[in-house]
Amino acid sequence: MLSDPGTIILLPIDATGVPGSCPVPERIQRQDLEVKKKVAALELRSVDLQSSRNNQEHHTQEMGLQRLIVRRSQSFTIQLHFSRPFHSGTDHITFIAETGPEPTELLGTRATFLLTSARQGNVWSASDFTIDANSLSVSLFTPASAVIGPYTLKIKISQGQGNSLTHLLGTFILLFNPWSAEDDVYLPSELLLQEYIMMDYGFVYKGHERFITPWPWNYGQFEEGIIDICFEILNKSLSFLENPSKACSQRNDVVYVCRVVSAMINSNDDSGVLQGNWGEDYSRGLSPLEWSGSVAILRQWSAGGGQPVRYGQCWVFAAVMCTVMRCLGVPTRVVSNFRSAHNADANLTIDTYYDQNAVMLPTQKRDKIWNFHVWNECWMIRKDLPPGYNGWQVLDPTPQETSSGLFRCGPASVKAIREGEVHLPYDTPFVYAEVNADEVIWLFGGGQALEILAHNISSIGKEISTKMVGSDQRQNITSSYKYPEGSLEERSVFMKASRKMLGSRRASSPFLDLLGSGGSKDQPAQLQLHLAQTPEWGQDLLLELHARRVADRAHPQGPIRLVVRFCAQTLLHSGGTRGPLWRQKVHLTLDFGEEIQRSLSLPYNNYKNKLTDEKLIRVSGIAKVAETGRSMLVLKDISLEPPHLAIEVSERAEVGKALRVHISLTNTLSVALSHCTMVLEGSGLIDGQISNDLGTLVAGHTVQIQLDLYPLKAGRRQLQVLISSKELKEIKGYKDIFVVAAGAS
């Protein structure tokens, strides 16, 4: 009998009738199995990094959709598939992200972070997860201070106090993020971001301040393998070779990365990308004029194990750096400065010398005035400078002077340059002189300087140019570097900068004495040289001398007699010249108020085979005034026009479909063009380059080429065509092409 009739205890009975020995009911067995499932280990079965979706959200889809490439300070989502549903109460997941050799949390090259319900501040985090059956979708966030580079991503799974297992999820590449307001490279304009990050072609401006030529360039920062080569460049830098772990840890700092890249694009100190050559023997490589884009250069450097590619000059160095910086996520543009000073002794004057026969003389000094020089501007916040100097910063990979022991330059704030704040880092005095130095031209004879022919305060730093946003036009940005020439602000800034740069040398500075003296004295005549017609290579060059008598203090009235000696010389890119290739002497008598014109002819035979690839000639004249014994200088630089290249395409361009291209070139010269080769390039249109041998193009004849391209990517593209010959290296043309997606109506 049971003591409590309200409670019934059922004991299991087996077939023999013995209590407690029968099998466990099926219902109870199922409950027991469910309990066991709950405590079973959580096993990772597969991972989906969702590269396609993430890359599009992070503006890296042009680099491909097969691997994960994201930008810091922006979330991305991954999906994990487990052996059972994830239980946030008992399952614990820790994410581990690592970059570089021997990563540590102290150096910022290793991050460990738990899976949490919500993101916590500007730190590495995994949050905002959703559970769907055995799948877990997680949002990962990288802080704006994260080191850029290739990462491995792992998870550690643990339950309670039990054992843990670590799994490799995969790899990803982390870049700077100019779309994020938290990043030091933040650029708050979608229009500017499309130009300075996403645009994979552009123009480099070359030539002469009066004959500026747009040189189309294929940056190709999204081409296959370029992102890996960019980090290979960082890994071959001297700072990485000396201390790899520390070098990687500094890659969160855009200033550091820019300085490393500036040093690595040239090869003066290291296994840099390009070897410079400002001579005329390019037989062991390619002439700088024969490059059309960065991709071939970077791939050749990488394939050669870091052997410098031959050869580069300033526009090649700057264009390749533009590719690397845009690829890494730093807004970057290419800038050309015409009549650019190289002021090695930092005295803010460049001296040039002519003899009495108007021959421009070589000098032993390293100072020079380049016809043009090309550098980069990168957009960034400068936390290392006082407020007000953010924005565009000059970086120059051309090896001119050392900075902290290496051939590199910048970043120098453009605002600091404009305001003459030359004490601010990096290399601001050198860049300031490039655009602001004064030019002093001397008459030289008998081993000494005889008199000042000209003191030009505004002849350096002309037509500073870059590609206009959203256009193929050139934009003049000189006003961002300096106040209007001759204005009170410009002279005030110049004197402030000169005091800082000269320092203790001020007391004995001939330059400041020259400023105080007012330069050269009045002259009794004005001389000008003009071109009578458009100069073309292969033709005689016709000039006109205009001479006008004006009043001066020494000879206010009456006639004067002039002997004008002319000389023509090949003008080099460095601003120097070769020996004379033509001379002429003119006698003039000028009465007060009178103006005389004289025609001059420079025959083709005089300059044939004597010019460099740039095809520039300087005609100079020294006029000796009989009545005063003093001299005057007149100069004219001439750029010879190459033949014009025409490119036409069929109306519609579609990914994967044949696009017919017509290219024609007429040899308008009086001589044949021999050993002609054609190179086509264009990211999204051609994989790499297409080369053709065209043979010899007879004078007056036209060559026509037809070929089919099969566009690879949709969007705005540019086809660049370069035809080189023994006689002319830079016959170049381009065609903008809009490509629609495959199957688009």
Side-chain angles (χ1 to χ4, degrees):
M1 220 40 191
L2 295 174
S3 60
D4 185 359
T7 302
I8 300 173
I9 300 175
L10 298 177
L11 296 175
I13 300 173
D14 65 7
T16 65
V18 179
S21 62
C22 72
V24 178
E26 186 178 343
R27 178 175 56 83
I28 298 174
Q29 284 182 332
R30 285 200 306 269
Q31 289 176 345
D32 187 55
L33 285 171
E34 286 173 6
V35 170
K36 287 183 177 179
K37 280 185 180 178
K38 286 185 180 179
V39 297
L42 185 69
E43 297 177 2
L44 181 69
R45 295 291 168 83
S46 63
V47 184
D48 181 3
L49 297 180
Q50 301 190 331
S51 301
S52 178
R53 170 188 165 187
N54 287 321
N55 288 9
Q56 293 193 43
E57 291 179 353
H58 285 248
H59 308 279
T60 62
Q61 69 277 10
E62 287 282 318
M63 297 182 187
L65 302 175
Q66 301 307 308
R67 59 176 177 164
L68 184 60
I69 304 173
V70 292
R71 300 185 187 277
R72 63 187 192 176
S73 188
Q74 184 176 339
S75 298
F76 61 96
T77 303
I78 65 172
Q79 198 165 49
L80 308 176
H81 302 282
F82 294 108
S83 57
R84 60 168 174 79
F86 170 79
H87 298 288
S88 58
T90 56
D91 296 324
H92 303 289
I93 294 180
T94 302
F95 287 85
I96 305 160
E98 296 178 325
T99 186
E102 302 178 2
T104 67
E105 293 189 25
L106 182 64
L107 288 172
T109 50
R110 185 178 195 267
T112 58
F113 44 103
L114 295 171
L115 178 63
T116 57
S117 58
R119 180 161 71 85
Q120 300 172 347
N122 189 21
V123 294
W124 287 87
S125 63
S127 60
D128 302 322
F129 61 88
T130 57
I131 302 170
D132 181 12
N134 289 6
S135 296
L136 178 69
S137 182
V138 185
S139 175
L140 302 183
F141 179 81
T142 61
S145 59
V147 168
I148 66 164
Y151 278 78
T152 58
L153 182 63
K154 305 173 187 175
I155 58 167
K156 184 169 69 172
I157 303 173
S158 58
Q159 289 173 279
Q161 301 300 315
N163 294 330
S164 62
L165 282 176
T166 300
H167 302 269
L168 176 65
L169 298 183
T171 62
F172 67 94
I173 293 176
L174 189 64
L175 303 176
F176 292 110
N177 191 354
W179 280 268
S180 170
E182 303 301 318
D183 202 301
D184 287 348
V185 299
Y186 175 55
L187 181 58
S189 164
E190 186 60 31
L191 186 65
L192 298 184
L193 287 165
Q194 289 302 313
E195 181 72 42
Y196 298 131
I197 291 288
M198 302 303 293
M199 185 68 73
D200 59 5
Y201 63 86
F203 298 96
V204 180
Y205 294 97
K206 300 171 68 248
H208 187 280
E209 60 172 305
R210 296 191 186 92
F211 326 105
I212 297 174
T213 302
W215 184 264
W217 192 270
N218 180 41
Y219 296 123
Q221 67 267 32
F222 304 127
E223 291 295 283
E224 185 177 353
I226 295 301
I227 182 68
D228 302 294
I229 296 173
C230 290
F231 287 107
E232 189 180 343
I233 288 170
L234 296 179
N235 289 346
K236 285 196 181 326
S237 68
L238 290 181
S239 60
F240 182 88
L241 297 176
E242 290 168 2
N243 191 333
S245 297
K246 181 182 178 183
C248 278
S249 74
Q250 293 176 288
R251 293 179 188 173
N252 65 328
D253 179 6
V254 64
V255 172
Y256 167 82
V257 172
C258 284
R259 282 180 66 74
V260 170
V261 174
S262 174
M264 280 298 298
I265 297 299
N266 71 73
S267 59
N268 283 40
D269 309 294
D270 41 44
S271 299
V273 176
L274 281 158
Q275 180 177 327
N277 186 341
W278 287 268
E280 295 168 55
D281 180 7
Y282 306 120
S283 58
R284 299 178 66 191
L286 275 184
S287 161
L289 290 168
E290 295 185 68
W291 297 112
S292 296
S294 306
V295 177
I297 293 170
L298 290 168
R299 286 177 174 169
Q300 181 178 327
W301 175 81
S302 178
Q307 286 297 310
V309 176
R310 298 168 173 160
Y311 292 104
Q313 290 183 12
C314 63
W315 69 91
V316 186
F317 289 114
V320 172
M321 182 162 183
C322 182
T323 296
V324 172
M325 299 315 298
R326 286 186 184 181
C327 188
L328 295 176
V330 181
T332 305
R333 61 189 186 183
V334 175
V335 173
S336 297
N337 177 39
F338 290 88
R339 287 190 58 78
S340 185
H342 179 168
N343 189 206
D345 53 12
N347 66 354
L348 283 175
T349 55
I350 306 293
D351 297 311
T352 54
Y353 301 89
Y354 289 83
D355 69 14
Q356 294 177 338
N357 294 312
V359 177
M360 183 179 178
L361 301 174
T363 174
Q364 299 302 313
K365 297 176 69 175
R366 292 173 55 226
D367 286 8
K368 64 187 67 159
I369 303 173
W370 299 94
N371 297 329
F372 68 95
H373 182 57
V374 185
W375 58 65
N376 300 98
E377 286 179 1
C378 292
W379 181 274
M380 69 189 74
I381 292 170
R382 290 295 300 274
K383 293 178 179 176
D384 58 326
L385 299 184
Y389 297 100
N390 299 331
W392 290 117
Q393 314 286 321
V394 171
L395 284 131
D396 189 351
T398 300
Q400 293 192 89
E401 297 292 331
T402 60
S403 173
S404 300
L406 298 179
F407 278 96
R408 58 185 169 184
C409 181
S413 164
V414 172
K415 177 73 177 299
I417 295 162
R418 188 173 195 257
E419 300 300 331
E421 302 296 348
V422 294
H423 62 289
L424 297 176
Y426 290 88
D427 311 306
T428 309
F430 183 77
V431 183
Y432 180 86
E434 287 184 298
V435 299
N436 283 295
D438 281 9
E439 179 186 20
V440 181
I441 303 176
W442 300 85
L443 181 65
F444 194 85
Q448 62 182 354
L450 301 175
E451 61 176 300
I452 294 175
L453 296 171
H455 169 212
N456 300 322
I457 64 171
S458 61
S459 65
I460 287 173
K462 309 291 285 185
E463 297 290 333
I464 304 175
S465 302
T466 192
K467 177 186 176 295
M468 190 175 290
V469 174
S471 165
D472 287 351
Q473 299 302 306
R474 180 178 66 90
Q475 181 182 359
N476 187 324
I477 58 170
T478 308
S479 62
S480 66
Y481 280 83
K482 53 186 175 180
Y483 290 96
E485 293 285 7
S487 66
L488 291 176
E489 296 93 339
E490 185 267 339
R491 282 290 98 183
S492 173
V493 167
F494 186 88
M495 292 306 294
K496 175 174 70 173
S498 67
R499 284 192 293 269
K500 290 179 179 179
M501 290 173 66
L502 292 169
S504 60
R505 293 178 290 166
R506 288 188 70 238
S508 60
S509 169
F511 167 57
L512 290 180
D513 294 342
L514 178 62
L515 281 182
S517 72
S520 54
K521 305 290 191 299
D522 291 343
Q523 295 286 8
Q526 292 178 347
L527 302 178
Q528 290 182 323
L529 276 172
H530 298 277
L531 284 165
Q533 63 185 38
T534 301
E536 293 186 6
W537 192 82
Q539 307 292 331
D540 293 350
L541 306 179
L542 302 179
L543 300 100
E544 287 184 349
L545 171 66
H546 292 226
R548 187 165 69 93
R549 173 76 167 94
V550 294
D552 69 316
R553 287 191 292 269
H555 290 273
Q557 294 183 7
I560 58 170
R561 292 167 296 153
L562 302 175
V563 178
V564 190
R565 292 177 171 86
F566 290 101
C567 173
Q569 296 170 271
T570 298
L571 184 58
L572 308 176
H573 172 50
S574 63
T577 56
R578 287 181 181 171
L581 52 83
W582 170 86
R583 297 175 188 266
Q584 194 159 328
K585 185 163 67 173
V586 174
H587 294 268
L588 300 175
T589 300
L590 283 173
D591 209 342
F592 184 73
E594 183 181 10
E595 183 170 341
I596 293 176
Q597 296 182 14
R598 291 288 177 88
S599 296
L600 304 170
S601 177
L602 200 171
Y604 167 60
N605 283 336
N606 283 71
Y607 68 83
K608 177 183 178 182
N609 301 325
K610 294 182 181 177
L611 303 186
T612 63
D613 293 332
E614 282 83 8
K615 300 293 186 281
L616 286 169
I617 297 174
R618 170 162 292 176
V619 178
S620 51
I622 299 284
K624 187 73 173 284
V625 183
E627 285 70 21
T628 64
R630 299 188 67 243
S631 301
M632 292 184 292
L633 174 70
V634 61
L635 297 174
K636 184 67 176 179
D637 292 342
I638 302 171
S639 176
L640 302 178
E641 290 285 324
H644 177 67
L645 187 64
I647 308 168
E648 297 295 333
V649 298
S650 52
E651 291 183 7
R652 181 180 170 83
E654 182 177 335
V655 171
K657 286 195 174 180
L659 175 67
R660 179 59 56 91
V661 179
H662 303 265
I663 302 166
S664 63
L665 172 67
T666 300
N667 182 2
T668 56
L669 309 182
S670 60
V671 296
L673 299 178
S674 59
H675 302 95
C676 295
T677 59
M678 179 182 71
V679 177
L680 281 73
E681 190 166 341
S683 289
L685 295 171
I686 300 169
D687 183 11
Q689 295 177 324
I690 296 175
S691 300
N692 280 321
D693 187 353
L694 304 180
T696 297
L697 181 55
V698 177
H701 285 220
T702 300
V703 61
Q704 297 197 12
I705 304 107
Q706 291 188 13
L707 52 93
D708 287 339
L709 303 180
Y710 293 84
L712 306 168
K713 294 180 182 179
R716 294 167 58 194
R717 305 293 165 192
Q718 188 182 82
L719 175 66
Q720 291 116 15
V721 180
L722 172 66
I723 294 181
S724 298
S725 68
K726 181 181 177 182
E727 292 74 19
L728 287 174
K729 294 292 184 189
E730 51 178 322
I731 305 172
K732 195 160 189 180
Y734 70 94
K735 187 72 174 179
D736 291 336
I737 299 170
F738 186 82
V739 181
V740 300
S745 57

